[in-house]
Amino acid sequence: MEQQCWTRRELLPGLTTKQWARAGLWSIGVSCIGGIGAVVWALVVLTRTQAWDPAAVAFIVTVIGGMGFGWVCSLMSDRKERAELAAGYTTSAQGNNKVVRWHSPTGVVMREAGEPNLTKPQWEAAMARVRAYEAFVAREKSCTEGDAA
């Protein structure tokens, strides 16, 4: 059996801080693009027809909905970060350095408690550990599936 080169812990159930934050950023980014589309579409349609077009309204609703979803994701990210810190870890790249930083979603340790944020070479080494863990899990899964057949 090969030697394991990672340390892994179980994460709290549900989405992690990093996953909530990423969803919120994507939502806000899409909303900004939708907002630009809404402004351009509304200006073109309103200057030509002097009436609201359903497509312009759809753009605006998308922007408002996306910003609202981004706000909810931000609140959930903050809530999850407090829960993670109470459990003694973080999944946030810029998280609290007093606790261990775990990879989201595998739970592989990226940085020990008390260490500064990862430099690029340290991050690459940590990601190599994550990939090694994922490859190990994939091998184990294929072996157990082969035994069941």
Side-chain angles (χ1 to χ4, degrees), residues 9 13 17 22 26 31 39 44 47 60 70 77 79 86-87 90 98 103 110 120 124-125 129 133 136 146-148:
R9 306 283 193 276
T17 298
R22 184 177 291 150
W26 273 101
S31 297
V39 169
V44 168
T47 56
I60 293 167
S77 176
R79 173 184 274 180
T90 185
K98 294 178 183 175
H103 179 258
M110 302 282 286
K120 185 168 175 72
E124 289 170 354
R129 290 191 304 273
Y133 168 76
F136 174 77
D147 292 342

Side-chain angles (χ1 to χ4, degrees), residues 12-24:
L12 293 173
L15 295 177
T16 65
T17 298
K18 186 173 183 177
Q19 291 167 329
W20 276 113
R22 184 177 291 150

Side-chain angles (χ1 to χ4, degrees), residues 59-95:
F59 271 126
I60 293 167
V61 168
T62 301
V63 170
I64 293 169
M67 294 301 258
F69 182 73
W71 180 72
V72 168
C73 288
S74 175
L75 291 176
M76 292 304 294
S77 176
D78 289 345
R79 173 184 274 180
K80 190 64 170 207
E81 184 174 27
R82 285 192 300 275
E84 287 179 356
L85 290 174
Y89 74 95
T90 185
T91 57
S92 175
Q94 301 302 320

Side-chain angles (χ1 to χ4, degrees), residues 94-118:
Q94 301 302 320
N96 189 330
N97 289 3
K98 294 178 183 175
V99 295
V100 179
R101 177 177 174 214
W102 294 351
H103 179 258
S104 172
T106 63
V108 172
V109 174
M110 302 282 286
R111 168 189 53 73
E112 292 296 333
E115 294 179 358
N117 287 333
L118 300 176

